[in-house]
Amino acid sequence: MNPQILTHEPGLLRHMAFVYDNLSAPRLIELALARNEGHLTASGALHVLTGKYTGRSPKDKYIVDEPGVTNSINWGPVNRPVSEAHFERLYSKALQYMNGRDAFVFDGFAGADRRRQLKFRVVTEMAWHNLFMRQLLIRPTADNPFTGQPDFTILALPGLQADPAADGTSSETFIIISLERKVVLIGGTMYAGEMKKSVFSILNCILPMKGMFPMHCSANIGEAGDVALFFGLSGTGKTTLSADPGRRLIGDDEHVWSDEGIYNIEGGCYAKCIGLSADKEPQIWNAIKHGTVLENVAVDPVTRIADYNDNRYTENTRAAYPLDHIPNAFTGGTAGHPNTIVFLTADAFGVLPPVAKLTKPQAIYHFLSGYTSKLAGTERGVTKPEATFSACFGAPFLPLHPSVYANLLSEKISRHNVDIYLINTGWIGGPYGVGKRINLPYTRAMVTAALDGSLKNASYSKDPVFGLHIPDSVPGVPSDVLNPVNTWNDKSGYMEQARKLASLFIENFQKNTPDVAEEVAAAGPVLL
């Protein structure tokens, strides 16, 4: 085999000691074990630790400032520019680093719609990283082979560190996307999620220019063909709530809405599994078996039994598995236009209602706001929930201005008459540290009522601060849970926290999205 044919980047693999080309999952697992990269658990999953970095490192992510994209990118603290010269310097260092080392190569697709698939070549120095991407991208088949050159190449070298003074980075870690060279360079971190999210970032740049709407959401489909989308940041419940035994899972994290309907970007799931239990989340529990990569979970060294309640390494424990590990997964990854959209948030203030129906202006307001509480471990340095606003429920992955994605959503909602709900999976009865997380079975009942039409014509009461329409009753949920003020013993404390959060909403919106339609600007909270 001539390693030069493995990439559109000339010479990338020329000097490798050995190139492992598109191996099967069992073979990658064998090599990962032989190279002491991980261990098998009692369930058969490959257990790995990612060391210093157990979450994404957003301050170390860059986009190369190139002539063809410089006027399109929404530059700032999320999309940090790096010069072409610095990229070339790091790329040369990567070639030197790879000299004499083994490489693992996987060729896969992003996008279940075969008419719109992008081809990604993933080159890694670790076998388990290759397995991770093999499980999460869409794997080639006999009737859909990977042919020709890739559209993008990802080069993941955790052992390669940057020199900030010389390489233009903030630290030894770097995640750099070159949209013109069509290369992603990753170094200084073993956290595999950086590869996955680099793919998503690329699609978020390319697809809107073609009139398609990339979305940070999970999706499932009912027996009648009704499609539901679940938007939300990591840890808010996208994977958990879309893995519904009564519905078929399309995908758990990233989708595209085209003129024909929606399609999954990925071929696998990346489930957060802190506190995972067989009774509450049976589908995810049973998916953790041979072929699954289990990241940073505490495992008994003798029995090899995983302890999902142990957060010794991080709160951001993860399981990466192919979609077919879910028994009722929706094969093919494409479906029709959504009937229902759910915005998920985990409110650490404890004041947002567990469920509310949104008008279209409210939907655009909350989409542009993207409020949640950033949960511990999802990003480097986050040790407890922090209130945060992430535009479009995915700002770290959006190279273009948030208004581009909001306009796409607005057009889709109007064209397809979609019902939109806000569901809070966070705290009730008090803020974080005082109140408690909303009972998961209650949340599931609210989601079911939203999807089966029970809430479409229900009676509602209007929240005085946030203007949200709260249902007066939901099957299977105690009525006093629905209005958050009823769950607080200290009513004045509730109003204080509500005003505090409302102020943060208003400040964020005025700062980051000042130029919106008047009806959208008026759809936010008011200070009483």
Side-chain angles (χ1 to χ4, degrees), residues 110-129:
D113 186 338
R114 294 187 180 183
R115 298 164 297 178
R116 299 180 170 94
Q117 285 180 329
L118 286 179
K119 295 183 290 186
F120 279 81
R121 175 156 293 152
V122 183
V123 181
T124 67
E125 67 170 310
M126 302 187 76
W128 82 262
H129 273 179

Side-chain angles (χ1 to χ4, degrees), residues 159-445:
L160 175 63
Q161 296 188 343
D163 176 357
D167 297 324
T169 60
S170 298
S171 73
E172 77 284 357
T173 300
F174 55 93
I175 305 97
I176 302 180
I177 298 173
S178 171
L179 292 162
E180 292 195 354
R181 284 287 296 271
K182 299 184 182 304
V183 171
V184 179
L185 286 181
I186 301 174
T189 174
M190 281 200 294
Y191 183 65
E194 300 287 13
M195 294 183 288
K196 164 188 160 68
K197 287 306 184 185
S198 293
V199 173
F200 190 43
S201 296
I202 289 168
L203 268 63
N204 272 306
C205 185
I206 293 174
L207 296 184
M209 299 176 185
K210 301 178 180 180
M212 290 183 285
F213 179 26
M215 306 173 293
H216 187 212
C217 69
S218 58
N220 62 25
I221 186 168
E223 291 184 4
D226 54 302
V227 175
L229 303 181
F230 300 80
F231 285 84
L233 294 178
S234 176
T236 56
K238 292 194 313 300
T239 300
T240 297
L241 294 172
S242 56
D244 185 337
R247 298 173 65 85
R248 301 182 69 187
L249 179 68
I250 301 172
D252 83 322
D253 195 41
E254 301 167 5
H255 293 80
V256 175
W257 196 343
S258 72
D259 288 339
E260 289 77 29
I262 69 157
Y263 64 87
N264 192 3
I265 290 174
E266 301 180 299
C269 301
Y270 193 33
K272 193 168 184 179
C273 49
I274 190 71
L276 180 68
S277 65
D279 58 329
K280 291 184 178 179
E281 299 172 275
Q283 289 190 328
I284 298 173
W285 179 277
N286 292 326
I288 301 175
K289 56 187 179 181
H290 182 73
T292 295
V293 177
L294 200 60
E295 277 185 330
N296 299 315
V297 173
V299 174
D300 187 283
V302 177
T303 65
R304 300 294 187 190
I305 295 175
D307 183 353
Y308 298 110
N309 294 313
D310 191 326
N311 64 352
R312 72 180 66 178
Y313 301 115
T314 179
E315 290 281 334
N316 192 36
T317 53
R318 294 276 181 170
Y321 47 85
L323 196 60
D324 58 20
H325 278 201
I326 299 294
N328 64 340
F330 188 70
T331 58
T334 63
H337 296 289
N339 305 84
T340 308
I341 292 175
V342 175
F343 292 158
L344 298 169
T345 184
D347 174 31
F349 286 82
V351 295
L352 288 182
V355 60
K357 196 172 192 301
L358 303 180
T359 64
K360 180 184 171 182
Q362 286 176 328
I364 302 305
Y365 183 95
H366 282 272
F367 184 68
L368 284 168
S369 297
Y371 166 70
T372 191
S373 298
K374 192 177 295 179
L375 301 185
T378 302
E379 291 182 7
R380 179 184 175 193
V382 179
T383 58
K384 64 180 182 179
E386 298 176 355
T388 188
F389 294 89
S390 184
C392 311
F393 296 100
F397 325 120
L398 307 182
L400 310 180
H401 193 276
S403 62
V404 173
Y405 310 98
N407 289 338
L408 286 166
L409 175 62
S410 178
E411 185 271 332
K412 298 290 187 185
I413 290 174
S414 295
R415 179 180 296 184
H416 301 289
N417 193 28
V418 185
D419 292 324
I420 308 106
Y421 296 89
L422 178 70
I423 288 186
N424 172 24
T425 63
W427 284 259
I428 58 173
Y432 172 78
V434 177
K436 61 181 181 179
R437 289 298 293 264
I438 295 171
N439 189 302
L440 180 58
Y442 292 166
T443 299
R444 288 195 185 279

Side-chain angles (χ1 to χ4, degrees), residues 39-225:
H39 304 279
L40 290 181
T41 67
S43 69
L46 178 66
H47 172 243
V48 297
L49 299 176
T50 62
K52 177 181 177 181
Y53 296 93
T54 58
R56 290 181 295 102
S57 190
K59 294 182 180 179
D60 296 311
K61 177 186 171 185
Y62 306 88
I63 297 176
V64 182
D65 190 355
E66 297 160 315
V69 301
T70 188
N71 294 325
S72 301
I73 303 301
N74 183 34
W75 301 112
V78 171
N79 298 307
R80 297 164 177 256
V82 68
S83 71
E84 292 180 273
H86 282 127
F87 170 80
E88 293 297 340
R89 176 183 171 86
L90 275 169
Y91 186 76
S92 296
K93 289 176 69 171
L95 294 180
Q96 295 171 13
Y97 177 84
M98 294 174 71
N99 189 22
R101 298 177 188 270
D102 293 345
F104 297 86
V105 177
F106 170 69
D107 293 329
F109 303 108
D113 186 338
R114 294 187 180 183
R115 298 164 297 178
R116 299 180 170 94
Q117 285 180 329
L118 286 179
K119 295 183 290 186
F120 279 81
R121 175 156 293 152
V122 183
V123 181
T124 67
E125 67 170 310
M126 302 187 76
W128 82 262
H129 273 179
N130 214 255
L131 174 66
F132 176 94
M133 289 301 283
R134 186 188 188 281
Q135 306 299 52
L136 286 184
L137 286 177
I138 294 172
R139 294 162 291 284
T141 58
D143 66 339
N144 187 34
F146 188 109
T147 58
Q149 296 301 313
D151 296 305
F152 282 86
T153 296
I154 297 174
L155 182 55
L157 307 173
L160 175 63
Q161 296 188 343
D163 176 357
D167 297 324
T169 60
S170 298
S171 73
E172 77 284 357
T173 300
F174 55 93
I175 305 97
I176 302 180
I177 298 173
S178 171
L179 292 162
E180 292 195 354
R181 284 287 296 271
K182 299 184 182 304
V183 171
V184 179
L185 286 181
I186 301 174
T189 174
M190 281 200 294
Y191 183 65
E194 300 287 13
M195 294 183 288
K196 164 188 160 68
K197 287 306 184 185
S198 293
V199 173
F200 190 43
S201 296
I202 289 168
L203 268 63
N204 272 306
C205 185
I206 293 174
L207 296 184
M209 299 176 185
K210 301 178 180 180
M212 290 183 285
F213 179 26
M215 306 173 293
H216 187 212
C217 69
S218 58
N220 62 25
I221 186 168
E223 291 184 4

